[in-house]
Amino acid sequence: DLMTLTNGSILEIAATPTFLKNLIPGYAYHPPGPLDDDQVGRFYVPFPAVLGLDAKIKYHWDFTRGRLAGPVIHEAYPGHHLQITTANRSLSYIRRLQANTFMIEGWALYCEELMAEEGYGGPAQMRRVLEGVIFRAARVIVDVKLQIGEYSLAEAIDFMIDETGAPRDFIEKEVLRYAVEPAQPMSYIIGKREIMRLRDDARGEMGDAFTLKAFHDNLLSCGSIPLYLLRVCVISKS
């Protein structure tokens, strides 16, 4: 399935490729390259190899009862797909090549709470957002302890299960990714917190002239740059 979004980019919805399933157990997004003429991103759905009755029931509930709202917000719109394809259209060649994960993941996680604050999905969506915050906070601890040698893979898996309640088979694949991508797991909540601080600072400076639309337009126009430079860019545009 293909969706054309408001910035002219295209989102393809597809099953997660087999070679990625052991590293990406959940919903995910694969962006277009910054220099690609066709800005086609892919939203991956993690269908199992054998779609048995239990899996059919799960995905039926996901697709019909709003449980897909969080992944779509985070991975597609207004999360990763909107942010990255907007960054890929920057007039600055250097900015188009930037891919700072603290900005990218921070923006997507920020969008989850933003949409809930704006009333999208009702009270259930805010509960899911708060559960997601707990999960991302646990990631920070595991990320650090894995990289400094205080946790083995087994200890990291047990910690994540105990703190989040997520299924073991899901967490085992998640932790494998954490082990090979230092600092990426902590980028979600750190990036989100910086964007929220930046929003508060911009609102404080602009007063009644502040609007969320203008703030978000300015933020996205800066590209996927490091958080310090993001602050300099946004404040200069405010």
Side-chain angles (χ1 to χ4, degrees):
D1 290 339
L2 297 176
M3 298 172 58
T4 301
L5 301 184
T6 53
N7 66 353
S9 61
I10 295 174
L11 182 68
E12 178 184 355
I13 303 170
T16 305
T18 301
F19 73 94
L20 288 177
K21 285 184 177 180
N22 284 333
L23 283 177
I24 307 177
Y27 296 96
Y29 174 69
H30 183 79
L35 305 181
D36 290 351
D37 291 332
D38 296 325
Q39 289 292 296
V40 180
R42 291 176 175 82
F43 177 70
Y44 287 146
V45 179
F47 289 119
V50 178
L51 198 62
L53 178 60
D54 289 345
K56 289 179 181 178
I57 292 173
K58 173 191 180 300
Y59 284 104
H60 172 76
W61 278 82
D62 283 355
F63 295 150
T64 62
R65 300 299 175 92
R67 294 182 183 177
L68 201 59
V72 169
I73 291 168
H74 184 104
E75 307 293 350
Y77 196 91
H80 285 324
H81 185 70
L82 175 65
Q83 188 269 317
I84 292 174
T85 54
T86 300
N88 286 352
R89 287 178 166 80
S90 174
L91 297 178
S92 166
Y93 181 76
I94 293 176
R95 287 195 184 186
R96 289 170 69 183
L97 298 180
Q98 296 297 301
N100 184 270
T101 189
F102 286 84
M103 166 55 182
I104 292 171
E105 297 297 355
W107 168 259
L109 186 57
Y110 166 80
C111 286
E112 292 183 34
E113 187 163 334
L114 172 71
M115 295 294 283
E117 288 175 345
E118 294 297 311
Y120 182 80
Q125 181 61 22
M126 182 56 80
R127 286 196 298 271
R128 285 190 284 266
V129 167
L130 296 177
E131 290 170 357
V133 170
I134 292 172
F135 191 87
R136 274 56 174 245
R139 273 178 168 171
V140 174
I141 297 170
V142 168
D143 189 9
V144 173
K145 287 184 176 289
L146 276 174
Q147 303 311 326
I148 65 176
E150 288 192 8
Y151 270 176
S152 65
L153 287 177
E155 289 171 328
I157 290 167
D158 288 342
F159 177 86
M160 288 293 294
I161 293 171
D162 290 343
E163 295 298 324
T164 70
R168 177 169 289 274
D169 60 340
F170 176 85
I171 292 298
E172 286 175 347
K173 295 172 183 177
E174 279 278 299
V175 170
L176 283 177
R177 181 167 67 82
Y178 303 166
V180 299
E181 293 188 76
Q184 196 275 346
M186 70 174 68
S187 66
Y188 295 76
I189 201 163
I190 292 174
K192 171 192 168 183
R193 286 167 60 87
E194 179 57 26
I195 289 172
M196 295 185 79
R197 279 197 292 265
L198 186 52
R199 185 180 69 180
D200 290 342
D201 291 346
R203 180 183 281 115
E205 288 195 12
M206 299 180 68
D208 293 341
F210 176 88
T211 66
L212 273 177
K213 181 182 185 304
F215 172 74
H216 293 148
D217 285 347
N218 287 341
L219 187 78
L220 293 177
S221 71
C222 292
S224 306
I225 59 178
L227 296 179
Y228 170 76
L229 296 178
L230 181 68
R231 171 172 286 273
V232 173
C233 177
V234 171
I235 295 300
S236 71
K237 293 174 179 286
S238 298

